[in-house]
Amino acid sequence: MSGGNVKKRIAIIGAGIAGLACARELVQHGHDVHVFEKSRGPGGRMPTRWLNREAEPPVGFDHGTQYFQATAPAFADLLAQAEPAGAVAQWGGKVVDLGYGLTKLHTSDAVRWVGTPGMASLARFMSQGLNIHLQARVAGVYRLGDKYQLTLHLADGTVRVESGFDAVVCAVPAEQVVPLFEGVHEPLACMAAGVHSNVTWALMLTPREALKVDFDGAFVVDSPLGWICRDSSKPGRAVGDRWLLQATADWSRQHKDYSSEEVGKMLLDVFCNVTGQLVEEPLAMVAHRWLYSLPINPLDIRCYFDEGHMLGACGDWLSGARVEDAFLSGHALGNQMLHCFNSTLIQ
């Protein structure tokens, strides 16, 4: 420990980019950090749906975040560490603006980054050295004196209680914050209650034959689809022709309660119409609904921390919808907590 301070035991709920960024700051200064994640792996909305993890390279889809950009020095430094480790790479795919009868190059000077061999690889890189409890859903948070206790629902159906935490960090979507903290810390619950997230339908598509189009990604205009991408064009991916289709927020909200099979057929029809390609009997087609994808009205604050209650929150619902925003939120919260613990700040 720096500065001779007492080691703190800290629980972080959520192993997305924000939660991992916060955990890294705290662990680097010797604190005892436990990250609890309900899914099978870290990454939050930067996942990879593996079709064949044993292949080399593995075959999969980025069915959440499609790429990310770096402008802030702290996030750029992380990517500079992750790139030589093979966890991220720049994606130079051709991206266009696409409409019915319209195709033009999408003009942007920004570098697009992706995880390699899948988007979740950045989160796995960030997870190195962290104590992460996977498939452990936090069902309750309780204050007992000056300590916190968590109730966990595990994948095998059992319930476990973890106690003795000096501080708790919440790094999950706003809609999941409210039921966890409305009886524990009303200010945080009220903040989260005012933020809402988009619903997004995504379709993972493997055609029988490669599509004859001259682009790798497209922002689709005046369509139920908002983005389409030749997922297999990203660096480190297995050969083949695999496409990821994302519906717009409006269309996804209107079709929120449709079955994945119905959504898949509708989005495939739109895809064929807008690209002018006929995709018959695809090898695979799976639709996934993101109930909480991107925040509609983030609070535009970097993070939240109540020193009196040793309770913090970070994530894109506070700071903004980009991956970099989520990282900076967790990074800032970690440093704010370190300052509170009288540890040396990482500059």
Side-chain angles (χ1 to χ4, degrees):
M1 294 295 298
S2 58
N5 295 299
V6 176
K7 177 190 285 190
K8 301 292 186 181
R9 178 173 163 85
I10 303 159
I12 297 181
I13 306 171
I17 296 301
L20 295 174
C22 182
R24 282 165 59 92
E25 298 301 309
L26 296 168
V27 167
Q28 285 173 14
H29 284 75
H31 293 289
D32 179 20
V33 179
H34 296 257
V35 183
F36 299 96
E37 169 57 46
K38 68 178 182 178
S39 301
R40 289 178 294 178
R45 285 161 289 183
M46 291 181 64
T48 303
R49 175 75 65 86
W50 297 114
L51 305 180
N52 184 356
R53 193 187 289 270
E54 316 314 318
E56 186 55 47
V59 183
F61 281 95
D62 297 331
H63 63 298
T65 301
Q66 293 295 287
Y67 60 84
F68 47 92
Q69 298 167 337
T71 58
F75 191 49
D77 287 347
L78 172 67
L79 300 188
Q81 299 169 37
E83 185 177 21
V88 300
Q90 296 183 19
W91 176 45
K94 180 181 177 182
V95 177
V96 302
D97 295 321
L98 181 65
Y100 295 94
L102 165 72
T103 305
K104 66 176 182 178
L105 189 66
H106 182 78
T107 55
S108 173
D109 296 329
V111 174
R112 297 182 179 93
W113 289 86
V114 297
T116 51
M119 196 62 72
S121 301
L122 176 60
R124 287 200 299 273
F125 175 81
M126 295 176 67
S127 298
Q128 295 174 11
L130 301 182
N131 187 0
I132 301 181
H133 307 261
L134 297 175
Q135 294 184 286
R137 181 175 67 84
V138 177
V141 179
Y142 309 95
R143 180 91 177 191
L144 302 176
D146 62 348
K147 302 288 185 180
Y148 284 98
Q149 175 180 291
L150 306 184
T151 299
L152 308 173
H153 288 188
L154 307 181
D156 61 5
T158 61
V159 176
R160 191 172 82 230
V161 173
E162 291 276 350
S163 58
F165 294 104
D166 299 295
V168 171
V169 168
C170 187
V172 297
E175 288 85 351
Q176 297 174 354
V177 173
V178 178
L180 276 178
F181 289 93
E182 59 187 351
V184 181
H185 193 68
E186 196 64 27
L188 176 57
C190 287
M191 287 172 56
V195 179
H196 305 285
S197 302
N198 282 323
V199 176
T200 299
W201 274 106
L203 181 66
M204 294 164 272
L205 175 67
T206 305
R208 288 186 176 275
E209 298 180 358
L211 270 63
K212 297 178 175 62
V213 295
D214 66 348
F215 58 82
D216 300 302
F219 295 99
V220 189
V221 298
D222 299 325
S223 169
L225 288 171
W227 166 259
I228 59 177
C229 175
R230 193 192 303 267
D231 202 64
S232 48
S233 72
K234 296 175 182 176
R237 270 59 175 178
V239 297
D241 201 51
R242 294 179 302 281
W243 287 80
L244 193 287
L245 287 54
Q246 282 186 346
T248 64
D250 286 345
W251 191 93
S252 296
R253 184 174 60 255
Q254 293 167 8
H255 297 81
K256 180 180 71 171
D257 297 322
Y258 281 53
S259 70
S260 58
E261 291 77 12
E262 291 175 304
V263 166
K265 292 175 182 177
M266 288 187 283
L267 292 183
L268 177 60
D269 286 343
V270 175
F271 179 69
C272 292
N273 288 332
V274 77
T275 60
Q277 301 286 304
L278 181 62
V279 181
E280 293 185 297
E281 298 182 358
L283 294 173
M285 187 172 71
V286 178
H288 178 86
R289 185 187 66 176
W290 290 100
L291 194 55
Y292 310 122
S293 58
L294 297 177
I296 299 171
N297 56 331
L299 297 179
D300 198 26
I301 60 175
R302 186 61 80 193
C303 61
Y304 172 82
F305 185 57
D306 184 322
E307 292 189 10
H309 290 82
M310 285 292 168
L311 185 64
C314 57
D316 56 8
W317 68 272
L318 291 152
S319 59
R322 301 178 307 164
V323 172
E324 183 176 60
D325 293 328
F327 170 84
L328 293 174
S329 179
H331 182 268
L333 178 58
N335 276 283
Q336 191 170 342
M337 294 175 73
L338 290 172
H339 181 73
C340 176
F341 301 154
N342 294 318
S343 295
T344 302
L345 290 173
I346 296 178
Q347 302 297 326

